[in-house]
Amino acid sequence: MDCLFCAIVKGEIPSKKVYEDALCYAFLDIAPQAPVHCLIVPKCHIASADAITKENADVVAHIFSVIPAIAKELSLGDGYRVITNVGENGCQSVKHLHFHILGGKKLSEQMA
Ligand code: AMP
């Protein structure tokens, strides 16, 4: 399977690492949409939030358990937004589950 974020997790494509553990990998977005724009992905391939199941949900819970520490590391104490895009209408461009962590300024009240 040809997956950009699987290749980034494996180190086959370079990225600016923010955090890593056995289950997930966080790195800076290549085209930031906010002063701070980080992505966090499970190391295992899950296509999107629409592919989360009882069987693989533990890694998603794990990701959310480490986001506060990543946000602290990124100096996002004033707040931030966590977003995941799903499918065509959600404008998901990379078909590997990822959560955007956006912050570093007061974000728009509009979400869509
Ligand atoms: P989405 O549109 O929700 O699927 O988000 C995919 C994100 O991946 C976008 O914000 C892209 O800027 C980002 N992206 C694409 N290629 C890379 C890369 N090589 N390194 C870091 N971020 C990337």
Side-chain angles (χ1 to χ4, degrees):
M1 183 195 9
D2 218 15
C3 170
L4 174 63
F5 288 172
C6 284
I8 285 178
V9 164
K10 287 184 208 151
E12 294 167 357
I13 291 175
S15 64
K16 292 187 178 162
K17 178 163 96 171
V18 172
Y19 173 85
E20 180 173 20
D21 64 30
L23 297 177
C24 65
Y25 185 72
F27 54 103
L28 297 182
D29 196 290
I30 203 167
Q33 295 191 31
V36 176
H37 188 170
C38 174
L39 301 173
I40 181 164
V41 307
K43 287 190 169 177
C44 62
H45 185 85
I46 298 172
S48 77
D50 197 50
I52 297 171
T53 63
K54 277 185 197 159
E55 286 68 37
N56 65 21
D58 282 1
V59 70
V60 180
H62 174 74
I63 283 173
F64 275 84
S65 79
V66 299
I67 283 176
I70 292 171
K72 195 171 179 191
E73 179 70 24
L74 294 170
S75 304
L76 296 177
D78 289 337
Y80 55 94
R81 183 168 290 157
V82 180
I83 296 173
T84 191
N85 295 323
V86 181
E88 182 70 21
N89 278 5
C91 297
Q92 181 186 7
S93 61
V94 180
K95 310 305 188 222
H96 180 129
L97 177 65
H98 53 282
F99 297 94
H100 299 257
I101 302 171
L102 296 149
K105 69 169 187 179
K106 176 85 172 172
L107 299 169
S108 167
E109 290 184 10
Q110 299 294 321
M111 283 193 289

